[in-house]
């Protein structure tokens, strides 16, 4: 049985900047894999390469046995089985919540209006915003908008859900609502690849944790090992800073500053590329 996700020797360049430097790992069906690491480590670029929002420079990405990096692949058909939730909500502000969750079903899956509405209402209820169908996104809190975005992805019946730091744009008091929805998805057996900075969530929900730094996988394993008893010094340094920031050493702070600068360079290069 093929892996749900199989990434082999994945590289990504933005001009002269090499963001991914040979990534190898897999996700099995029903697994939750959390990717952690400092800013600029390549986490979000990795996720975007999985569904070819970014075209890898080298390497292969297979999802459910289909090689998405094959030049002859029907990428639109392959993407229909992938749900993605971004840091920003990417909802249409001029459409109601219900219409936001229906539109891709109608246009991509060609579902009839009644069926699309039924599926939309079911998934909005599932994520706890079933009473907001007639509201518009600007009328909702950030946490509610993110839950609508999750419902929109679920309405497409994905085999795999990709989350790119889905709580990073939220006020701290709203984070728990979104994480609760994701916990429910994990309990339901949804295969998920999650870029996150929420260490307690990763420890609780993940089957495996992948720590990235400098465009490579430094360490991976069960959360009790990677987060609870990391083997690599870089992992220990990162977790010390994240979990106990008031005691971070000057070296750690310098490292984080450099990583942030690298991330800014990466974003600038991406913006130029686009």
């Amino acid at each position: 049985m093929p892996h749900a996700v199989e990434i082999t020797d994945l590289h990504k360049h933005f001009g002269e900047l090499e963001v991914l430097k040979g990534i190898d790992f897999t996700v099995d069906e029903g697994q939750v894999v959390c990717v952690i690491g400092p800013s600029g480590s390549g986490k979000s670029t990795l996720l975007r390469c999985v569904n070819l929002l970014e075209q890898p420079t080298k390497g292969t990405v297979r999802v459910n046995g289909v090689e998405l990096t094959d030049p002859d692949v029907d990428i639109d058909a392959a993407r229909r089985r992938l749900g993605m939730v971004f840091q920003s909500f990417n909802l249409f502000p001029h459409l109601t919540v219900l219409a936001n969750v229906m539109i891709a079903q109608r246009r991509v899956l060609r579902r009839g209006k009644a069926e699309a509405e039924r599926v939309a209402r079911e998934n909005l209820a599932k994520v706890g915003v079933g009473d907001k169908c007639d509201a518009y996104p600007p009328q909702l809190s950030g946490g509610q908008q993110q839950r609508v975005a999750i419902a929109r992805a679920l309405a497409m019946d994905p085999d795999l859900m990709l989350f790119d730091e889905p709580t990073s744009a939220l006020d701290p008091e709203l984070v728990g609502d979104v994480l609760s929805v994701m916990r429910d998805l994990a309990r339901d057996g949804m295969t998920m690849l999650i870029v996150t900075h929420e260490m307690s969530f990763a420890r609780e929900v993940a089957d495996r944790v992948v720590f990235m730094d400098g465009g490579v996988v430094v360490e991976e394993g069960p959360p009790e090992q990677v987060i609870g008893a990391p083997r690599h010094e870089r992992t220990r340094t990162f977790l010390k800073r994240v979990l106990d920031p008031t005691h971070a050493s000057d070296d750690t702070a310098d490292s984080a500053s450099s990583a942030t600068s690298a991330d800014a360079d990466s974003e600038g290069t991406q913006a130029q590329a686009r």
Side-chain angles (χ1 to χ4, degrees):
M1 184 175 181
H3 299 291
V5 180
E6 185 175 3
I7 298 170
T8 306
D9 194 30
L10 190 66
H11 293 253
K12 177 61 181 177
H13 295 256
F14 292 104
E16 297 296 318
L17 181 66
E18 187 177 16
V19 179
L20 300 178
K21 304 175 182 178
I23 302 294
D24 296 278
F25 76 86
T26 61
V27 181
D28 289 330
E29 184 177 351
Q31 274 194 331
V32 177
V33 175
C34 287
V35 183
I36 64 173
S39 297
S41 60
K43 308 183 302 295
S44 293
T45 299
L46 168 65
L47 207 64
R48 293 172 68 86
C49 283
V50 170
N51 64 359
L52 296 198
L53 289 176
E54 297 289 357
Q55 184 68 43
T57 305
K58 177 186 175 184
T60 59
V61 176
R62 290 183 174 85
V63 176
N64 292 328
V66 177
E67 185 184 336
L68 272 61
T69 43
D70 184 337
D72 297 325
V73 73
D74 184 346
I75 187 59
D76 290 332
R79 280 196 185 121
R80 290 172 194 164
R81 308 304 298 172
L82 305 178
M84 185 154 184
V85 178
F86 300 87
Q87 296 178 33
S88 56
F89 320 122
N90 295 331
L91 301 175
F92 294 110
H94 64 291
L95 297 180
T96 65
V97 164
L98 185 64
N100 265 281
V101 182
M102 289 176 61
I103 188 169
Q105 296 184 67
R106 300 293 310 281
R107 296 190 178 184
V108 178
L109 300 183
R110 303 296 181 186
R111 284 177 178 158
K113 182 179 179 180
E115 175 69 1
E117 181 173 343
R118 180 188 65 78
V119 173
R121 289 185 182 277
E122 285 181 357
N123 282 286
L124 287 166
K126 184 175 185 177
V127 300
V129 288
D131 60 337
K132 302 297 183 182
C133 290
D134 297 326
Y136 289 85
Q139 298 172 322
L140 305 181
S141 70
Q144 289 170 330
Q145 290 187 65
Q146 192 63 292
R147 283 183 279 163
V148 172
I150 294 173
R152 178 183 56 188
L154 292 175
M156 302 297 286
D157 298 328
D159 296 322
L160 168 69
M161 286 286 287
L162 307 173
F163 291 89
D164 186 7
E165 298 200 21
T167 61
S168 65
L170 302 180
D171 291 335
E173 62 198 36
L174 303 176
V175 168
D177 292 337
V178 173
L179 295 182
S180 178
V181 169
M182 295 169 67
R183 286 188 187 93
D184 290 343
L185 293 177
R187 281 194 289 266
D188 290 343
M190 174 64 72
T191 307
M192 296 192 285
L193 181 57
I194 305 168
V195 171
T196 185
H197 58 273
E198 302 287 346
M199 295 301 116
S200 59
F201 172 80
R203 189 195 297 264
E204 174 189 351
V205 174
D207 296 295
R208 285 190 9 257
V209 173
V210 175
F211 173 67
M212 288 183 62
D213 187 35
V216 300
V217 173
V218 176
E219 185 168 355
E220 66 175 303
E224 58 269 22
Q225 176 222 305
V226 176
I227 298 177
R231 298 171 181 169
H232 198 283
E233 178 59 31
R234 181 64 187 98
T235 315
R236 290 194 291 270
T237 302
F238 168 76
L239 288 170
K240 180 179 180 181
R241 180 168 180 80
V242 170
L243 299 175
D244 191 11
T246 60
H247 291 83
S249 68
D250 291 339
D251 290 342
T252 305
D254 291 343
S255 175
S257 176
S258 299
T260 303
S261 297
D263 191 46
D265 291 342
S266 174
E267 291 180 357
T269 308
Q270 290 184 52
Q272 292 174 6
R274 295 191 185 108

